[in-house]
Amino acid sequence: MSVRTKVLSVENMNPHIKKMEYAVRGPIVIRAGEIEAELQKGEKKPFPDVIRANIGDCHATGQQPLTFIRQVSAICAYPELLKDPNFPRDAKERARRILDGCGGHSIGSYSDSSGVKVIREDTAKYITDRDGHPSNWEDIFLSTGASDGIKTIMKLLMTGETGKGRAGVMIPIPQYPLYTATIAEYNAHPIGYFLNEDRNWALDVSELKRALEEAKPHCRPKAIVIINPGNPTGQVLTKENIEAVIKFAKEENLFLMADEVYQHNIYAQGSKFYSFKKVLTEMGSKYNDLELASFMSTSKGYMGECGFRGGYCEVINLDPDVKAMLLKSISAKLCSSIAGQAVMDVVVNPPKQGEPSYDLFEKEKWMVLGQLAEKAKMVTETFNTIEGISCNEVQGAMYAFPQIKLPKKLLEAAKAKGQSPDAFYCFNLLEETGICVVPGSGFGQVEGTYHFRTTILPPVQKLGEMLARFRDFHLQFMEKYQ
Amino acid sequence: MSVRTKVLSVENMNPHIKKMEYAVRGPIVIRAGEIEAELQKGEKKPFPDVIRANIGDCHATGQQPLTFIRQVSAICAYPELLKDPNFPRDAKERARRILDGCGGHSIGSYSDSSGVKVIREDTAKYITDRDGHPSNWEDIFLSTGASDGIKTIMKLLMTGETGKGRAGVMIPIPQYPLYTATIAEYNAHPIGYFLNEDRNWALDVSELKRALEEAKPHCRPKAIVIINPGNPTGQVLTKENIEAVIKFAKEENLFLMADEVYQHNIYAQGSKFYSFKKVLTEMGSKYNDLELASFMSTSKGYMGECGFRGGYCEVINLDPDVKAMLLKSISAKLCSSIAGQAVMDVVVNPPKQGEPSYDLFEKEKWMVLGQLAEKAKMVTETFNTIEGISCNEVQGAMYAFPQIKLPKKLLEAAKAKGQSPDAFYCFNLLEETGICVVPGSGFGQVEGTYHFRTTILPPVQKLGEMLARFRDFHLQFMEKYQ
């Protein structure tokens, strides 16, 4: 018998999966893992450790979980703790309420595919209080992180056609790679609109129009994605900017997808978070019937509970028949993790003034957010003092996306190595300093400009050390290629 | 301005989502929920409560979680409990080991997309011990329940083409609706092969051949799905039957997808679980290089931890480049819930003899499995005493799939109502008894035969009551249409 060929080969596998890329977990991160292993084996390096600034993974970088979130989690997992006098009354009440919402009072039961009803209700109340406008719990579904909600909505928007019949989805450039990965996986057409780096990464409507008009012959434009606060760009949109986007979406008949997972992460003086739902509602009857999905996660904010994979999506103004299809489409996944749903519940229903855990919760929350604000400032300021690097103000979220001016000789050296210049820069940075950041090309950037994304997550002292290592590297590296 | 039309309508939405169906959460389950609400409002019904026998949701039907699983979960969520003398030493050790495998020692961190390394290692050890053949931890990825793993593998197999170029996937009929739902979503071609009801739902190779030959002009056959123990059919495949399937897969160059989530659920005397991996390995060099993915879940077995959404997939003999693509494809999901991964860890690394929790764990485990065995027998025997119902032995898993002989007048009445006869039967059963089971048409059945799927999960006494209500209904209903 001849040598058996594999059923599945790179040649015959799903071509859309082959095309997708996910930079924040890409080759540079794989190399960072190898270097860590080399350090562990005792290999000598010009640095003591790898600093992972490639992914918004708060606890991995040393942030402590909030006590109350974890107390509620633990009680939900092991209800015997309801009898434990060391657990505060309000944590027990929250846990009991969640358990009462679960089949058989167990978080080991499936929930409805859209989530546990009381948690959906708490989420609606949170949104109502946040925006000052009513939210309906039946418009909420709980998701496995925000990513799962985003993929669910995007899946509905697909046309099932190829070529010019494909759905077009407008996404910012730079963008969070989930969007290009999902668009590639679903064989949709990405319509990239450039954020304006000169105006602190604002959205220019003229650029939205340019991008859309250029794409119209190639696809059927269906939706616009807005990430606010921005990832990887860290900007916070003004209310006026949001209004302009909503007007544009209405004119062009686009479904609004608002990635608002960083809604708690606002640092800059004068910046404020406005949800798309709030702005759209306040724009009155001409706009308040637009179809909008807003995404939220337990992974970011002050909680940073990435591993729990909690999230929600609020979707408004959907055609009722489409909504039924949406619910059907998530039913085959059964439900998102109830442990994750429970964490989401604490986020939307935190301890209230007068409850025993209120003070500690507020203290822990504001300590995290205060440090993030400090680090946002520190990163922006430091990068702007390094020659050849310019960095917009990190107004919110957890990232900076500085621009680096690269000398011609460096561009040639990168080309000779078959790497994009920013990847060349970042790989060298990693090898020489242990700092792992993600090349701008993974997020998209104006041609001929070069960036990288760094998180602002390492603890203050570590971040200072990282920035110092960075500066030294940058200056030497630039000198080398001058 | 004219009335705004929705961006997203049933007419222009994703046609593949429109087509998909998921019977175990379908219209009959929605109606069951409405009836529960009506009962709560005080509406009079000829029954006191709804008995949900539609879904394998163990805890919702009264099964208690295993103490040790939940102790480890609680400690992982709230590591302060490491200091609590009420928690046993081995639970603390397990939790500490998992936490040490997490970034920042927190289950709030992301893991690698394929899961926490120590949990993958424990899983490999479990498989090695189970089969007596080595398993490599790098062949394991942890998934959000088994469903997520199944969808991940199926996605890789897609061709990206339409019409005759579509991937064909062989699935049993009757099948678990995840498969048809996923095949519809991915626009693949389902190749249904009938299980042999007369031989206790065995797989006949002649039927596999028939199904495949008929499908070949319509698609590119890529994979065969086997569910063992069977869902919804409850059979346990013999080693010989598995060997025959493996030979067939080799001859036809098919990727093997073994849904083995019920591997702990074996009840019938003489039945034994053989994993596809074990059988394939023992068939020697002619067969042991076949590509195989095996799926496992925390949701079933004796643990029934559905809400934690834990699972694993072991995939062997993959082309290394395809494996890299597989890892890339899951990276955009970041990772499965670490709380779910932790539960998976306990399942693959339970307390050992001599450890403090061993006795309690074994006692709780075997109590659940013993009761399931008793209920499997009770369900089979009772249905077979009801005239017009015949039921194969429930050898394993958690379901029975009895056949009902329906009189001609009933078929006409169903037709007049626009319902399939089995749906008509099940809806009437629900309205008159409160028992919620799923019509056979949701799983597939030989034309002209009618079935329903019921779980065997309600507690013994409740199950007895359910079967009594069922018998009364059936006899009256048959009389009505005789």
Side-chain angles (χ1 to χ4, degrees):
Chain A
M1 189 164 279
S2 66
V3 174
R4 201 178 147 267
T5 52
K6 296 283 178 193
V7 177
L8 199 53
S9 67
V10 171
E11 286 68 40
N12 71 11
M13 67 170 279
N14 188 333
H16 309 314
I17 296 289
K18 215 150 71 184
K19 222 173 69 184
M20 73 174 265
E21 282 183 26
Y22 193 65
V24 301
R25 290 240 160 138
I28 196 153
V29 186
I30 294 170
R31 179 65 194 133
E34 290 168 1
I35 293 177
E36 273 174 338
E38 290 163 12
L39 281 169
Q40 270 188 352
K41 275 189 231 146
E43 258 183 55
K44 279 261 178 298
K45 303 267 178 196
F47 48 86
D49 55 359
V50 168
I51 302 179
R52 287 182 178 255
N54 59 292
I55 191 167
D57 191 356
C58 311
H59 295 190
T61 355
Q63 182 183 314
Q64 292 305 305
L66 268 75
T67 306
F68 187 74
I69 292 178
R70 295 308 192 87
Q71 286 173 332
V72 174
S73 285
I75 303 169
C76 286
Y78 192 56
E80 278 292 304
L81 293 171
L82 285 167
K83 301 177 201 149
D84 188 329
N86 292 317
F87 280 74
R89 178 175 51 78
D90 45 357
K92 290 178 185 172
E93 283 165 6
R94 292 292 193 292
R96 199 188 298 272
R97 190 154 167 279
I98 294 166
L99 290 170
D100 286 347
C102 294
H105 306 274
S106 168
I107 61 165
S109 298
Y110 293 121
S111 69
D112 283 348
S113 301
S114 43
V116 174
K117 189 180 167 198
V118 292
I119 303 179
R120 295 166 73 197
E121 288 171 343
D122 288 345
T123 304
K125 176 146 193 337
Y126 161 83
I127 296 171
T128 302
D129 294 346
R130 182 195 68 192
D131 291 343
H133 303 291
S135 166
N136 177 354
W137 68 272
E138 292 182 284
D139 288 340
I140 313 270
F141 70 92
L142 301 171
S143 54
T144 303
S147 313
D148 169 51
I150 291 164
K151 294 186 82 167
T152 296
I153 297 296
M154 220 183 259
K155 199 181 284 171
L156 278 184
L157 289 157
M158 295 299 105
T159 60
E161 295 184 32
T162 54
K164 292 178 185 179
R166 295 195 294 170
V169 179
M170 299 191 74
I171 52 170
I173 301 181
Q175 54 100 32
Y176 175 54
L178 168 72
Y179 292 102
T180 40
T182 305
I183 287 170
E185 181 186 331
Y186 293 174
N187 192 29
H189 185 83
I191 308 173
Y193 61 86
F194 288 100
L195 300 175
N196 190 334
E197 187 164 10
D198 295 335
R199 294 208 300 121
N200 216 87
W201 303 113
L203 271 79
D204 289 342
V205 172
S206 59
E207 168 58 15
L208 296 179
K209 284 192 176 137
R210 179 210 57 80
L212 187 64
E213 290 309 319
E214 277 184 24
K216 278 179 179 172
H218 307 294
C219 65
R220 294 197 202 148
K222 289 276 184 178
I224 179 167
V225 171
I226 308 97
I227 313 176
N228 178 46
N231 175 8
T233 38
Q235 85 282 23
V236 178
L237 295 183
T238 63
K239 194 176 172 196
E240 292 67 36
N241 208 162
I242 294 173
E243 284 169 351
V245 174
I246 291 171
K247 283 182 185 164
F248 171 79
K250 184 182 166 73
E251 269 164 35
E252 301 290 350
N253 210 36
L254 296 172
F255 193 108
L256 284 160
M257 296 179 67
D259 179 339
E260 297 177 327
V261 301
Y262 298 99
Q263 58 192 263
H264 292 292
N265 299 96
I266 311 286
Y267 316 120
Q269 276 220 325
S271 285
K272 197 183 155 192
F273 172 72
Y274 293 94
S275 75
F276 266 74
K277 173 153 180 227
K278 180 182 173 71
V279 176
L280 171 156
T281 305
E282 292 174 2
M283 286 169 77
S285 59
K286 218 168 142 186
Y287 298 100
N288 65 11
D289 64 343
L290 259 74
E291 292 145 272
L292 164 70
S294 162
F295 307 98
M296 178 58 176
S297 167
T298 60
S299 305
K300 312 300 169 189
Y302 53 88
M303 47 285 181
E305 293 284 9
C306 310
F308 274 92
R309 314 305 296 120
Y312 76 71
C313 170
E314 183 189 31
V315 56
I316 60 169
N317 296 326
L318 221 57
D319 176 298
D321 293 337
V322 172
K323 195 166 171 187
M325 290 289 170
L326 166 64
L327 291 177
K328 185 187 74 174
S329 81
I330 58 176
S331 68
K333 283 189 279 195
L334 293 158
C335 64
S336 65
S337 154
I338 313 294
Q341 294 187 30
V343 172
M344 194 76 250
D345 193 53
V346 176
V347 174
V348 295
N349 185 23
K352 306 280 178 292
Q353 206 151 10
E355 289 185 320
S357 302
Y358 178 78
D359 288 341
L360 181 64
F361 187 91
E362 289 292 304
K363 187 182 142 209
E364 291 177 339
K365 170 179 169 178
W366 289 108
M367 193 165 77
V368 171
L369 290 175
Q371 282 175 354
L372 284 170
E374 184 187 341
K375 293 186 281 191
K377 214 172 154 203
M378 187 171 157
V379 166
T380 312
E381 287 179 359
T382 309
F383 279 127
N384 282 323
T385 63
I386 305 177
E387 209 191 306
I389 301 188
S390 60
C391 182
N392 273 326
E393 184 181 18
V394 179
Q395 299 173 321
M398 298 176 169
Y399 316 97
F401 197 68
Q403 185 170 158
I404 29 177
K405 293 255 176 291
L406 299 179
K408 214 170 162 190
K409 265 172 80 181
L410 191 151
L411 304 187
E412 285 157 10
K415 203 173 170 187
K417 269 208 114 178
Q419 276 183 321
S420 70
D422 50 353
F424 181 76
Y425 180 93
C426 292
F427 270 99
N428 274 280
L429 174 73
L430 175 63
E431 298 290 345
E432 294 185 25
T433 67
I435 300 169
C436 181
V437 298
V438 185
S441 44
F443 306 90
Q445 54 200 351
V446 171
E447 218 189 301
T449 69
Y450 304 105
H451 300 76
F452 61 90
R453 186 187 84 164
T454 179
T455 73
I456 60 167
L457 293 177
V460 174
Q461 202 194 327
K462 191 90 199 163
L463 188 65
E465 189 192 311
M466 169 178 134
L467 291 168
R469 282 195 217 171
F470 203 114
R471 178 198 299 271
D472 292 346
F473 163 80
H474 180 81
L475 297 177
Q476 282 171 29
F477 200 58
M478 291 303 107
E479 201 165 41
K480 185 172 167 189
Y481 290 101
Q482 217 49 270
Chain B
M1 189 166 280
S2 65
V3 174
R4 201 179 147 268
T5 53
K6 297 284 179 193
V7 175
L8 198 53
S9 67
V10 170
E11 286 69 41
N12 71 12
M13 66 171 279
N14 187 333
H16 309 314
I17 296 290
K18 215 152 69 184
K19 224 173 69 184
M20 72 175 265
E21 282 183 25
Y22 193 65
V24 302
R25 289 241 160 138
I28 198 154
V29 186
I30 295 170
R31 179 65 194 135
E34 290 169 0
I35 293 178
E36 275 174 338
E38 290 163 11
L39 282 169
Q40 270 188 353
K41 275 189 231 146
E43 257 183 57
K44 279 259 179 299
K45 303 268 178 195
F47 49 84
D49 55 1
V50 168
I51 302 180
R52 287 180 178 256
N54 59 291
I55 191 168
D57 191 356
C58 312
H59 295 190
T61 357
Q63 183 184 314
Q64 292 304 306
L66 268 75
T67 305
F68 186 74
I69 292 178
R70 296 308 193 87
Q71 285 173 333
V72 174
S73 284
I75 302 169
C76 285
Y78 192 56
E80 278 292 304
L81 294 171
L82 285 166
K83 300 177 202 149
D84 188 329
N86 293 315
F87 280 74
R89 177 175 51 79
D90 46 356
K92 290 178 186 172
E93 282 165 6
R94 292 293 193 292
R96 200 188 298 270
R97 191 153 166 281
I98 294 166
L99 290 170
D100 286 347
C102 294
H105 306 272
S106 167
I107 61 166
S109 297
Y110 293 121
S111 69
D112 283 348
S113 301
S114 42
V116 173
K117 189 180 166 197
V118 291
I119 303 179
R120 295 167 73 197
E121 288 171 343
D122 289 345
T123 304
K125 177 149 192 335
Y126 161 83
I127 295 170
T128 302
D129 293 346
R130 182 194 67 192
D131 291 343
H133 302 291
S135 166
N136 177 354
W137 69 271
E138 293 182 282
D139 288 340
I140 312 271
F141 69 92
L142 300 171
S143 54
T144 303
S147 313
D148 170 51
I150 291 164
K151 294 185 82 167
T152 296
I153 296 297
M154 221 182 260
K155 199 181 284 170
L156 278 184
L157 290 157
M158 296 300 105
T159 60
E161 294 184 31
T162 54
K164 292 177 186 179
R166 294 194 295 170
V169 179
M170 299 191 74
I171 52 169
I173 300 182
Q175 55 99 33
Y176 176 54
L178 168 72
Y179 292 101
T180 39
T182 305
I183 287 170
E185 181 185 330
Y186 292 173
N187 192 30
H189 185 83
I191 308 173
Y193 61 87
F194 288 100
L195 300 176
N196 190 334
E197 188 165 8
D198 294 336
R199 293 209 300 121
N200 216 87
W201 303 113
L203 271 80
D204 289 341
V205 171
S206 59
E207 168 58 15
L208 295 179
K209 284 193 177 137
R210 179 210 58 82
L212 187 65
E213 290 310 319
E214 277 183 24
K216 276 180 179 171
H218 307 294
C219 65
R220 294 197 203 148
K222 289 276 185 179
I224 179 167
V225 171
I226 309 97
I227 312 176
N228 178 47
N231 176 6
T233 38
Q235 85 281 25
V236 178
L237 295 184
T238 63
K239 195 176 173 197
E240 291 68 35
N241 208 162
I242 295 173
E243 285 170 350
V245 174
I246 290 171
K247 283 182 186 164
F248 171 78
K250 186 184 166 70
E251 270 164 34
E252 300 291 350
N253 211 34
L254 297 171
F255 193 108
L256 284 161
M257 295 179 67
D259 178 341
E260 298 178 324
V261 301
Y262 297 99
Q263 58 192 263
H264 292 292
N265 299 98
I266 311 286
Y267 316 120
Q269 277 219 323
S271 286
K272 195 181 157 192
F273 172 71
Y274 292 93
S275 75
F276 266 75
K277 174 156 180 223
K278 180 182 174 70
V279 176
L280 172 155
T281 305
E282 294 175 2
M283 285 169 78
S285 59
K286 217 167 142 185
Y287 298 100
N288 66 10
D289 64 342
L290 260 74
E291 292 145 90
L292 164 71
S294 162
F295 307 99
M296 178 56 176
S297 167
T298 60
S299 305
K300 311 301 169 188
Y302 54 87
M303 46 286 181
E305 294 285 9
C306 310
F308 274 92
R309 315 305 296 118
Y312 76 70
C313 171
E314 182 188 30
V315 56
I316 60 169
N317 296 326
L318 221 57
D319 176 298
D321 293 338
V322 172
K323 195 167 172 184
M325 290 288 172
L326 166 64
L327 291 177
K328 186 187 73 173
S329 81
I330 59 175
S331 69
K333 285 189 278 195
L334 294 158
C335 64
S336 65
S337 153
I338 314 294
Q341 294 187 30
V343 171
M344 194 76 252
D345 193 53
V346 176
V347 174
V348 295
N349 185 22
K352 306 279 178 293
Q353 206 152 9
E355 289 185 321
S357 302
Y358 178 77
D359 289 341
L360 181 63
F361 187 90
E362 289 291 304
K363 187 181 143 209
E364 290 177 340
K365 170 179 168 177
W366 289 107
M367 192 167 77
V368 171
L369 290 175
Q371 282 174 354
L372 284 171
E374 183 186 340
K375 293 187 280 190
K377 212 170 155 206
M378 186 172 157
V379 165
T380 312
E381 288 179 357
T382 309
F383 279 126
N384 281 324
T385 63
I386 305 177
E387 208 191 305
I389 301 188
S390 61
C391 182
N392 273 327
E393 184 181 17
V394 179
Q395 300 173 320
M398 298 176 168
Y399 316 96
F401 197 67
Q403 185 172 156
I404 28 176
K405 293 254 177 291
L406 299 179
K408 212 169 162 192
K409 266 174 79 179
L410 191 150
L411 303 187
E412 285 157 10
K415 203 173 170 187
K417 270 208 113 179
Q419 277 183 319
S420 69
D422 51 352
F424 181 75
Y425 180 94
C426 292
F427 269 100
N428 274 281
L429 174 74
L430 175 63
E431 296 291 344
E432 293 185 26
T433 67
I435 300 168
C436 182
V437 298
V438 185
S441 43
F443 306 89
Q445 53 200 352
V446 172
E447 219 190 301
T449 69
Y450 304 105
H451 300 75
F452 61 89
R453 186 188 83 164
T454 179
T455 73
I456 59 166
L457 293 176
V460 174
Q461 201 194 326
K462 193 88 200 164
L463 187 64
E465 189 192 311
M466 170 178 134
L467 291 168
R469 281 196 217 171
F470 202 113
R471 178 198 300 273
D472 292 347
F473 163 81
H474 180 81
L475 297 177
Q476 282 170 30
F477 200 57
M478 290 303 107
E479 199 166 44
K480 186 171 166 189
Y481 289 102
Q482 217 50 271

